Amino acid sequence: MGRAADGHLSLHCGPSRRRKLKAWVLLRLRYGFQPAVGDESRLLVWGAIRLRVLEGPELTLVSDSAVGDVLLRGLCGEL
């Protein structure tokens, strides 16, 4: 867990393929997040909650709201 430039939380899922896959499965199947439509294909959306996805050697999820911060804390506990 860390803080993004805007002060909201970011969750680094690490280079582990297993941990990245578990994060995707939890977000998509348990929480119902869907990819945003259009130019923002690097966003996952669930209602008003938006998570920015940064991929590289590590998967990083960045929230843009206080509710997203709470969700990332819960996800961190499950990973």
Side-chain angles (χ1 to χ4, degrees):
M1 293 289 271
R3 293 258 176 216
D6 61 1
H8 290 291
L9 289 180
S10 63
L11 174 64
H12 304 278
C13 296
S16 164
R17 291 182 66 199
R18 183 173 182 257
R19 192 163 185 216
K20 285 196 253 184
L21 180 61
K22 187 173 182 181
W24 278 115
V25 167
L26 287 171
L27 287 172
R28 295 293 304 271
L29 299 179
R30 181 178 292 173
Y31 296 113
F33 274 85
Q34 296 297 320
V37 179
D39 296 337
E40 303 180 59
S41 62
R42 287 282 155 225
L43 283 177
L44 291 175
V45 179
W46 180 48
I49 303 173
R50 298 164 26 121
L51 296 177
R52 192 167 18 126
V53 179
L54 307 173
E55 282 191 271
E58 298 183 349
L59 173 68
T60 303
L61 303 166
V62 181
S63 77
D64 68 349
S65 65
V67 177
D69 291 351
V70 171
L71 184 110
L72 284 183
R73 279 191 193 100
L75 184 62
C76 181
E78 293 186 64
L79 293 176

